[in-house]
mmCIF file of all heavy atoms in Angstrom:
data_model
loop_
_atom_site.group_PDB
_atom_site.id
_atom_site.type_symbol
_atom_site.label_atom_id
_atom_site.label_comp_id
_atom_site.label_asym_id
_atom_site.label_seq_id
_atom_site.Cartn_x
_atom_site.Cartn_y
_atom_site.Cartn_z
ATOM 1 N N LYS E 1 -16.265 6.428 15.405
ATOM 2 C CA LYS E 1 -16.315 7.059 16.755
ATOM 3 C C LYS E 1 -15.300 8.209 16.929
ATOM 4 O O LYS E 1 -15.332 8.792 17.982
ATOM 5 C CB LYS E 1 -16.075 5.998 17.820
ATOM 6 C CG LYS E 1 -17.156 4.930 17.917
ATOM 7 C CD LYS E 1 -16.992 4.095 19.174
ATOM 8 C CE LYS E 1 -18.138 3.158 19.413
ATOM 9 N NZ LYS E 1 -18.011 2.406 20.689
ATOM 10 N N LYS E 2 -14.519 8.475 15.911
ATOM 11 C CA LYS E 2 -13.452 9.453 16.056
ATOM 12 C C LYS E 2 -12.592 9.137 17.259
ATOM 13 O O LYS E 2 -12.250 10.006 18.063
ATOM 14 C CB LYS E 2 -14.005 10.874 16.093
ATOM 15 C CG LYS E 2 -14.980 11.206 14.939
ATOM 16 C CD LYS E 2 -14.367 10.968 13.600
ATOM 17 C CE LYS E 2 -15.348 11.222 12.466
ATOM 18 N NZ LYS E 2 -14.846 10.805 11.124
ATOM 19 N N GLN E 3 -12.242 7.881 17.391
ATOM 20 C CA GLN E 3 -11.646 7.346 18.636
ATOM 21 C C GLN E 3 -10.263 6.777 18.335
ATOM 22 O O GLN E 3 -10.074 5.962 17.422
ATOM 23 C CB GLN E 3 -12.537 6.256 19.230
ATOM 24 C CG GLN E 3 -12.099 5.693 20.496
ATOM 25 C CD GLN E 3 -13.121 4.608 20.965
ATOM 26 O OE1 GLN E 3 -13.207 3.541 20.364
ATOM 27 N NE2 GLN E 3 -13.849 4.906 22.006
ATOM 28 N N THR E 4 -9.288 7.158 19.137
ATOM 29 C CA THR E 4 -7.957 6.574 19.034
ATOM 30 C C THR E 4 -8.028 5.133 19.529
ATOM 31 O O THR E 4 -8.505 4.866 20.606
ATOM 32 C CB THR E 4 -6.934 7.339 19.905
ATOM 33 O OG1 THR E 4 -6.873 8.702 19.435
ATOM 34 C CG2 THR E 4 -5.557 6.779 19.814
ATOM 35 N N GLN E 5 -7.494 4.238 18.744
ATOM 36 C CA GLN E 5 -7.409 2.795 19.104
ATOM 37 C C GLN E 5 -5.982 2.440 19.444
ATOM 38 O O GLN E 5 -5.045 2.679 18.684
ATOM 39 C CB GLN E 5 -7.890 1.947 17.941
ATOM 40 C CG GLN E 5 -9.345 2.219 17.476
ATOM 41 C CD GLN E 5 -10.343 1.786 18.512
ATOM 42 O OE1 GLN E 5 -10.287 0.693 19.055
ATOM 43 N NE2 GLN E 5 -11.281 2.661 18.817
ATOM 44 N N ILE E 6 -5.784 1.878 20.659
ATOM 45 C CA ILE E 6 -4.463 1.552 21.204
ATOM 46 C C ILE E 6 -4.332 0.066 21.315
ATOM 47 O O ILE E 6 -5.224 -0.572 21.908
ATOM 48 C CB ILE E 6 -4.227 2.289 22.550
ATOM 49 C CG1 ILE E 6 -4.600 3.740 22.450
ATOM 50 C CG2 ILE E 6 -2.825 2.081 23.024
ATOM 51 C CD1 ILE E 6 -4.627 4.472 23.751
ATOM 52 N N PHE E 7 -3.238 -0.488 20.907
ATOM 53 C CA PHE E 7 -3.019 -1.937 21.071
ATOM 54 C C PHE E 7 -1.519 -2.194 21.183
ATOM 55 O O PHE E 7 -0.658 -1.389 20.824
ATOM 56 C CB PHE E 7 -3.640 -2.751 19.974
ATOM 57 C CG PHE E 7 -3.300 -2.304 18.551
ATOM 58 C CD1 PHE E 7 -2.278 -2.930 17.906
ATOM 59 C CD2 PHE E 7 -4.012 -1.315 17.969
ATOM 60 C CE1 PHE E 7 -1.985 -2.560 16.603
ATOM 61 C CE2 PHE E 7 -3.716 -0.937 16.667
ATOM 62 C CZ PHE E 7 -2.676 -1.561 15.957
ATOM 63 N N ILE E 8 -1.224 -3.365 21.701
ATOM 64 C CA ILE E 8 0.176 -3.830 21.893
ATOM 65 C C ILE E 8 0.310 -5.196 21.279
ATOM 66 O O ILE E 8 -0.639 -5.854 20.898
ATOM 67 C CB ILE E 8 0.567 -3.840 23.364
ATOM 68 C CG1 ILE E 8 -0.392 -4.731 24.167
ATOM 69 C CG2 ILE E 8 0.631 -2.467 23.931
ATOM 70 C CD1 ILE E 8 -0.056 -4.854 25.661
ATOM 71 N N GLU E 9 1.577 -5.643 21.213
ATOM 72 C CA GLU E 9 1.858 -6.963 20.635
ATOM 73 C C GLU E 9 3.089 -7.598 21.337
ATOM 74 O O GLU E 9 3.876 -6.808 21.917
ATOM 75 C CB GLU E 9 2.111 -6.858 19.130
ATOM 76 C CG GLU E 9 2.201 -8.174 18.407
ATOM 77 C CD GLU E 9 1.118 -9.163 18.750
ATOM 78 O OE1 GLU E 9 0.031 -9.097 18.175
ATOM 79 O OE2 GLU E 9 1.367 -9.969 19.712
ATOM 80 N N THR E 10 3.202 -8.885 21.341
ATOM 81 C CA THR E 10 4.349 -9.520 21.853
ATOM 82 C C THR E 10 5.530 -9.003 21.016
ATOM 83 O O THR E 10 5.461 -8.960 19.779
ATOM 84 C CB THR E 10 4.237 -11.064 21.659
ATOM 85 O OG1 THR E 10 3.115 -11.475 22.365
ATOM 86 C CG2 THR E 10 5.481 -11.762 22.198
ATOM 87 N N PRO E 11 6.623 -8.530 21.654
ATOM 88 C CA PRO E 11 7.692 -7.862 20.935
ATOM 89 C C PRO E 11 8.230 -8.532 19.670
ATOM 90 O O PRO E 11 8.525 -7.840 18.705
ATOM 91 C CB PRO E 11 8.796 -7.679 21.969
ATOM 92 C CG PRO E 11 7.999 -7.564 23.244
ATOM 93 C CD PRO E 11 6.845 -8.503 23.086
ATOM 94 N N TYR E 12 8.278 -9.834 19.676
ATOM 95 C CA TYR E 12 8.837 -10.522 18.454
ATOM 96 C C TYR E 12 7.800 -10.545 17.300
ATOM 97 O O TYR E 12 8.129 -10.964 16.172
ATOM 98 C CB TYR E 12 9.296 -11.932 18.773
ATOM 99 C CG TYR E 12 8.229 -12.886 19.252
ATOM 100 C CD1 TYR E 12 7.459 -13.588 18.354
ATOM 101 C CD2 TYR E 12 8.074 -13.183 20.606
ATOM 102 C CE1 TYR E 12 6.528 -14.491 18.759
ATOM 103 C CE2 TYR E 12 7.115 -14.057 21.051
ATOM 104 C CZ TYR E 12 6.334 -14.712 20.131
ATOM 105 O OH TYR E 12 5.389 -15.597 20.561
ATOM 106 N N ARG E 13 6.584 -10.109 17.518
ATOM 107 C CA ARG E 13 5.613 -10.014 16.434
ATOM 108 C C ARG E 13 5.359 -8.592 15.960
ATOM 109 O O ARG E 13 4.446 -8.320 15.152
ATOM 110 C CB ARG E 13 4.269 -10.691 16.806
ATOM 111 C CG ARG E 13 4.295 -12.213 16.691
ATOM 112 C CD ARG E 13 2.889 -12.771 16.598
ATOM 113 N NE ARG E 13 2.115 -12.601 17.818
ATOM 114 C CZ ARG E 13 2.069 -13.467 18.830
ATOM 115 N NH1 ARG E 13 2.761 -14.650 18.723
ATOM 116 N NH2 ARG E 13 1.371 -13.251 19.926
ATOM 117 N N ASN E 14 6.112 -7.620 16.521
ATOM 118 C CA ASN E 14 5.861 -6.222 16.187
ATOM 119 C C ASN E 14 5.932 -5.983 14.691
ATOM 120 O O ASN E 14 5.126 -5.237 14.141
ATOM 121 C CB ASN E 14 6.882 -5.334 16.910
ATOM 122 C CG ASN E 14 6.530 -5.127 18.373
ATOM 123 O OD1 ASN E 14 5.406 -5.222 18.768
ATOM 124 N ND2 ASN E 14 7.560 -4.818 19.174
ATOM 125 N N LYS E 15 6.985 -6.510 14.049
ATOM 126 C CA LYS E 15 7.165 -6.231 12.629
ATOM 127 C C LYS E 15 6.034 -6.754 11.780
ATOM 128 O O LYS E 15 5.607 -6.090 10.815
ATOM 129 C CB LYS E 15 8.488 -6.830 12.191
ATOM 130 C CG LYS E 15 9.751 -6.155 12.788
ATOM 131 C CD LYS E 15 10.979 -6.763 12.309
ATOM 132 C CE LYS E 15 11.278 -6.552 10.857
ATOM 133 N NZ LYS E 15 12.571 -7.008 10.418
ATOM 134 N N GLN E 16 5.515 -7.951 12.122
ATOM 135 C CA GLN E 16 4.379 -8.500 11.385
ATOM 136 C C GLN E 16 3.152 -7.595 11.455
ATOM 137 O O GLN E 16 2.480 -7.350 10.468
ATOM 138 C CB GLN E 16 4.062 -9.928 11.872
ATOM 139 C CG GLN E 16 5.152 -10.917 11.540
ATOM 140 C CD GLN E 16 6.089 -11.116 12.764
ATOM 141 O OE1 GLN E 16 6.578 -10.157 13.319
ATOM 142 N NE2 GLN E 16 6.294 -12.394 13.123
ATOM 143 N N VAL E 17 2.895 -7.126 12.712
ATOM 144 C CA VAL E 17 1.736 -6.234 12.903
ATOM 145 C C VAL E 17 1.920 -4.930 12.125
ATOM 146 O O VAL E 17 0.980 -4.457 11.441
ATOM 147 C CB VAL E 17 1.513 -5.936 14.398
ATOM 148 C CG1 VAL E 17 0.472 -4.868 14.612
ATOM 149 C CG2 VAL E 17 1.105 -7.214 15.157
ATOM 150 N N PHE E 18 3.101 -4.376 12.178
ATOM 151 C CA PHE E 18 3.370 -3.142 11.495
ATOM 152 C C PHE E 18 3.174 -3.314 9.984
ATOM 153 O O PHE E 18 2.522 -2.501 9.312
ATOM 154 C CB PHE E 18 4.796 -2.695 11.778
ATOM 155 C CG PHE E 18 5.242 -1.440 11.043
ATOM 156 C CD1 PHE E 18 4.819 -0.203 11.479
ATOM 157 C CD2 PHE E 18 6.048 -1.538 9.933
ATOM 158 C CE1 PHE E 18 5.156 0.943 10.793
ATOM 159 C CE2 PHE E 18 6.454 -0.381 9.257
ATOM 160 C CZ PHE E 18 5.999 0.855 9.668
ATOM 161 N N GLU E 19 3.658 -4.409 9.438
ATOM 162 C CA GLU E 19 3.551 -4.675 8.003
ATOM 163 C C GLU E 19 2.098 -4.888 7.635
ATOM 164 O O GLU E 19 1.654 -4.470 6.491
ATOM 165 C CB GLU E 19 4.409 -5.908 7.598
ATOM 166 C CG GLU E 19 5.913 -5.552 7.697
ATOM 167 C CD GLU E 19 6.812 -6.808 7.644
ATOM 168 O OE1 GLU E 19 6.187 -7.913 7.556
ATOM 169 O OE2 GLU E 19 8.024 -6.672 7.712
ATOM 170 N N ASP E 20 1.354 -5.533 8.458
ATOM 171 C CA ASP E 20 -0.092 -5.779 8.209
ATOM 172 C C ASP E 20 -0.819 -4.433 8.132
ATOM 173 O O ASP E 20 -1.675 -4.234 7.286
ATOM 174 C CB ASP E 20 -0.729 -6.629 9.301
ATOM 175 C CG ASP E 20 -0.327 -8.057 9.192
ATOM 176 O OD1 ASP E 20 0.145 -8.513 8.089
ATOM 177 O OD2 ASP E 20 -0.517 -8.852 10.153
ATOM 178 N N MET E 21 -0.501 -3.507 9.037
ATOM 179 C CA MET E 21 -1.146 -2.182 9.044
ATOM 180 C C MET E 21 -0.849 -1.461 7.736
ATOM 181 O O MET E 21 -1.756 -0.813 7.157
ATOM 182 C CB MET E 21 -0.680 -1.363 10.186
ATOM 183 C CG MET E 21 -1.375 -1.788 11.538
ATOM 184 S SD MET E 21 -1.004 -0.705 12.903
ATOM 185 C CE MET E 21 0.649 -1.160 13.303
ATOM 186 N N LEU E 22 0.359 -1.558 7.229
ATOM 187 C CA LEU E 22 0.697 -0.888 5.954
ATOM 188 C C LEU E 22 -0.093 -1.483 4.807
ATOM 189 O O LEU E 22 -0.383 -0.754 3.845
ATOM 190 C CB LEU E 22 2.189 -1.014 5.700
ATOM 191 C CG LEU E 22 3.172 -0.393 6.690
ATOM 192 C CD1 LEU E 22 4.594 -0.402 6.167
ATOM 193 C CD2 LEU E 22 2.809 1.019 7.111
ATOM 194 N N GLN E 23 -0.448 -2.750 4.920
ATOM 195 C CA GLN E 23 -1.148 -3.401 3.849
ATOM 196 C C GLN E 23 -2.661 -3.180 3.847
ATOM 197 O O GLN E 23 -3.285 -3.021 2.767
ATOM 198 C CB GLN E 23 -0.903 -4.897 3.877
ATOM 199 C CG GLN E 23 0.575 -5.323 3.553
ATOM 200 C CD GLN E 23 0.931 -4.966 2.143
ATOM 201 O OE1 GLN E 23 0.181 -5.156 1.185
ATOM 202 N NE2 GLN E 23 2.137 -4.419 2.002
ATOM 203 N N VAL E 24 -3.260 -3.133 5.010
ATOM 204 C CA VAL E 24 -4.744 -3.112 5.115
ATOM 205 C C VAL E 24 -5.336 -1.784 5.472
ATOM 206 O O VAL E 24 -6.528 -1.587 5.239
ATOM 207 C CB VAL E 24 -5.210 -4.230 6.078
ATOM 208 C CG1 VAL E 24 -4.655 -5.582 5.694
ATOM 209 C CG2 VAL E 24 -4.888 -3.887 7.507
ATOM 210 N N CYS E 25 -4.563 -0.906 6.078
ATOM 211 C CA CYS E 25 -5.157 0.352 6.557
ATOM 212 C C CYS E 25 -5.133 1.411 5.465
ATOM 213 O O CYS E 25 -4.338 1.391 4.551
ATOM 214 C CB CYS E 25 -4.388 0.870 7.787
ATOM 215 S SG CYS E 25 -4.603 -0.121 9.274
ATOM 216 N N ASN E 26 -6.055 2.388 5.594
ATOM 217 C CA ASN E 26 -6.157 3.459 4.621
ATOM 218 C C ASN E 26 -4.863 4.303 4.675
ATOM 219 O O ASN E 26 -4.368 4.554 5.721
ATOM 220 C CB ASN E 26 -7.395 4.323 5.019
ATOM 221 C CG ASN E 26 -7.643 5.395 3.993
ATOM 222 O OD1 ASN E 26 -6.941 6.358 3.886
ATOM 223 N ND2 ASN E 26 -8.738 5.256 3.230
ATOM 224 N N PRO E 27 -4.410 4.741 3.516
ATOM 225 C CA PRO E 27 -3.183 5.536 3.428
ATOM 226 C C PRO E 27 -3.189 6.766 4.304
ATOM 227 O O PRO E 27 -2.136 7.281 4.763
ATOM 228 C CB PRO E 27 -3.023 5.830 1.982
ATOM 229 C CG PRO E 27 -3.766 4.782 1.233
ATOM 230 C CD PRO E 27 -4.945 4.455 2.155
ATOM 231 N N ASN E 28 -4.405 7.329 4.544
ATOM 232 C CA ASN E 28 -4.509 8.575 5.305
ATOM 233 C C ASN E 28 -4.707 8.312 6.820
ATOM 234 O O ASN E 28 -4.805 9.292 7.594
ATOM 235 C CB ASN E 28 -5.651 9.436 4.775
ATOM 236 C CG ASN E 28 -5.319 9.985 3.380
ATOM 237 O OD1 ASN E 28 -4.213 10.426 3.154
ATOM 238 N ND2 ASN E 28 -6.312 9.943 2.471
ATOM 239 N N THR E 29 -4.871 7.071 7.246
ATOM 240 C CA THR E 29 -4.991 6.804 8.645
ATOM 241 C C THR E 29 -3.724 7.160 9.384
ATOM 242 O O THR E 29 -2.622 6.868 8.944
ATOM 243 C CB THR E 29 -5.315 5.311 8.874
ATOM 244 O OG1 THR E 29 -6.610 5.047 8.371
ATOM 245 C CG2 THR E 29 -5.302 4.937 10.292
ATOM 246 N N LEU E 30 -3.866 7.838 10.512
ATOM 247 C CA LEU E 30 -2.704 8.181 11.356
ATOM 248 C C LEU E 30 -2.270 6.998 12.184
ATOM 249 O O LEU E 30 -3.120 6.329 12.801
ATOM 250 C CB LEU E 30 -3.015 9.374 12.230
ATOM 251 C CG LEU E 30 -3.202 10.699 11.494
ATOM 252 C CD1 LEU E 30 -3.777 11.757 12.463
ATOM 253 C CD2 LEU E 30 -1.843 11.170 10.944
ATOM 254 N N LEU E 31 -0.970 6.728 12.200
ATOM 255 C CA LEU E 31 -0.429 5.683 13.036
ATOM 256 C C LEU E 31 0.708 6.226 13.875
ATOM 257 O O LEU E 31 1.622 6.868 13.360
ATOM 258 C CB LEU E 31 0.125 4.547 12.104
ATOM 259 C CG LEU E 31 1.046 3.545 12.806
ATOM 260 C CD1 LEU E 31 0.312 2.734 13.871
ATOM 261 C CD2 LEU E 31 1.647 2.547 11.763
ATOM 262 N N CYS E 32 0.610 5.989 15.152
ATOM 263 C CA CYS E 32 1.735 6.356 16.072
ATOM 264 C C CYS E 32 2.384 5.050 16.531
ATOM 265 O O CYS E 32 1.736 4.070 16.941
ATOM 266 C CB CYS E 32 1.215 7.117 17.275
ATOM 267 S SG CYS E 32 2.513 7.447 18.504
ATOM 268 N N VAL E 33 3.700 5.010 16.384
ATOM 269 C CA VAL E 33 4.516 3.883 16.863
ATOM 270 C C VAL E 33 5.328 4.394 18.030
ATOM 271 O O VAL E 33 6.157 5.314 17.845
ATOM 272 C CB VAL E 33 5.426 3.292 15.769
ATOM 273 C CG1 VAL E 33 6.269 2.174 16.292
ATOM 274 C CG2 VAL E 33 4.547 2.832 14.561
ATOM 275 N N ALA E 34 5.144 3.813 19.223
ATOM 276 C CA ALA E 34 5.834 4.278 20.438
ATOM 277 C C ALA E 34 6.659 3.141 21.022
ATOM 278 O O ALA E 34 6.063 2.086 21.461
ATOM 279 C CB ALA E 34 4.835 4.810 21.442
ATOM 280 N N THR E 35 7.947 3.234 20.975
ATOM 281 C CA THR E 35 8.868 2.146 21.311
ATOM 282 C C THR E 35 9.799 2.517 22.486
ATOM 283 O O THR E 35 10.302 3.678 22.480
ATOM 284 C CB THR E 35 9.682 1.729 20.099
ATOM 285 O OG1 THR E 35 8.780 1.247 19.078
ATOM 286 C CG2 THR E 35 10.631 0.629 20.398
ATOM 287 N N ASP E 36 10.058 1.600 23.379
ATOM 288 C CA ASP E 36 10.993 1.799 24.481
ATOM 289 C C ASP E 36 10.742 3.105 25.206
ATOM 290 O O ASP E 36 11.684 3.871 25.495
ATOM 291 C CB ASP E 36 12.452 1.790 23.892
ATOM 292 C CG ASP E 36 12.952 0.379 23.629
ATOM 293 O OD1 ASP E 36 12.255 -0.578 23.953
ATOM 294 O OD2 ASP E 36 14.059 0.245 23.029
ATOM 295 N N ILE E 37 9.521 3.306 25.574
ATOM 296 C CA ILE E 37 9.174 4.511 26.295
ATOM 297 C C ILE E 37 9.872 4.671 27.626
ATOM 298 O O ILE E 37 10.004 3.704 28.327
ATOM 299 C CB ILE E 37 7.650 4.581 26.481
ATOM 300 C CG1 ILE E 37 6.940 4.689 25.132
ATOM 301 C CG2 ILE E 37 7.232 5.735 27.375
ATOM 302 C CD1 ILE E 37 5.446 4.651 25.206
ATOM 303 N N THR E 38 10.428 5.817 27.882
ATOM 304 C CA THR E 38 11.187 6.249 29.083
ATOM 305 C C THR E 38 12.654 5.775 29.025
ATOM 306 O O THR E 38 13.463 6.083 29.872
ATOM 307 C CB THR E 38 10.586 5.767 30.446
ATOM 308 O OG1 THR E 38 10.791 4.321 30.564
ATOM 309 C CG2 THR E 38 9.122 6.038 30.543
ATOM 310 N N LEU E 39 13.033 5.009 27.985
ATOM 311 C CA LEU E 39 14.417 4.549 27.873
ATOM 312 C C LEU E 39 15.191 5.449 26.966
ATOM 313 O O LEU E 39 14.647 6.271 26.201
ATOM 314 C CB LEU E 39 14.425 3.140 27.345
ATOM 315 C CG LEU E 39 13.546 2.088 28.099
ATOM 316 C CD1 LEU E 39 13.760 0.682 27.492
ATOM 317 C CD2 LEU E 39 13.869 2.117 29.579
ATOM 318 N N GLU E 40 16.556 5.316 26.938
ATOM 319 C CA GLU E 40 17.379 6.127 26.071
ATOM 320 C C GLU E 40 17.072 5.862 24.609
ATOM 321 O O GLU E 40 17.273 6.770 23.771
ATOM 322 C CB GLU E 40 18.885 5.847 26.378
ATOM 323 C CG GLU E 40 19.330 6.441 27.695
ATOM 324 C CD GLU E 40 20.848 6.269 27.850
ATOM 325 O OE1 GLU E 40 21.509 5.820 26.891
ATOM 326 O OE2 GLU E 40 21.332 6.597 28.977
ATOM 327 N N SER E 41 16.612 4.665 24.315
ATOM 328 C CA SER E 41 16.307 4.304 22.892
ATOM 329 C C SER E 41 14.863 4.636 22.519
ATOM 330 O O SER E 41 14.403 4.201 21.452
ATOM 331 C CB SER E 41 16.535 2.779 22.728
ATOM 332 O OG SER E 41 15.782 2.073 23.675
#
């Protein structure tokens, strides 16, 4: 669909989800990680 897919996770499972994406997604797939939006961090 040439469509951006957006999802969230319970914060303590973020690392597992991130690692799963590295394992199963195509190397050329674009991934945006957006953390602590609007905060100093």
Side-chain angles (χ1 to χ4, degrees):
K1 294 191 173 184
K2 307 305 177 188
Q3 183 180 69
T4 301
Q5 300 291 312
I6 309 171
F7 51 95
I8 55 178
E9 188 47 84
T10 301
Y12 63 82
R13 280 200 293 267
N14 283 336
K15 291 180 69 175
Q16 294 95 311
V17 171
F18 178 77
E19 290 165 2
D20 285 345
M21 283 188 284
L22 298 189
Q23 292 297 317
V24 306
C25 290
N26 186 287
N28 291 318
T29 292
L30 289 170
L31 165 64
C32 176
V33 178
T35 298
D36 283 353
I37 294 175
T38 74
L39 308 183
E40 288 187 7
S41 55

